Amino acid sequence: MARLLVMYRTPEDGTAFDRHYADTHIGLAAKMPGLRSYEISEGAVATPGGPADYRLVAILRFDDMAALKAALASPEGQAAVEDVGRFATGGVDIYMFDDRPAQG
């Protein structure tokens, strides 16, 4: 599997961010072809040392890196990417990686 990890930094207006994310962005991102699962954080994002400078973390799963890249390149993926600029006023960190079960 491959994951797209999107970490949204604290925005200028948290209420507006939450509203746009729930009312618009989730619907756009959920339409990406090949998307297998889509999870978001609930409540405060923290570190072991205390609060983090993130408002929300999203984790999207795809079959493999090729499927993830194809999803981002699709019209639906491009619409979701373009939408980020409309509400992520605090900035965003995006990571893509393959994953596997950890084995000792």
Side-chain angles (χ1 to χ4, degrees), residues 59-84:
I59 304 168
L60 292 76
R61 295 188 65 175
F62 297 85
D63 286 339
D64 52 36
M65 191 60 71
L68 191 163
K69 289 179 180 179
L72 289 175
S74 72
E76 297 87 352
Q78 288 299 299
V81 169
E82 289 172 13
D83 186 55
V84 169

Side-chain angles (χ1 to χ4, degrees), residues 39-64:
E39 300 172 333
I40 60 172
S41 59
E42 183 174 9
V45 178
T47 71
D53 184 31
Y54 292 99
R55 178 74 175 194
L56 183 112
V57 176
I59 304 168
L60 292 76
R61 295 188 65 175
F62 297 85
D63 286 339
D64 52 36

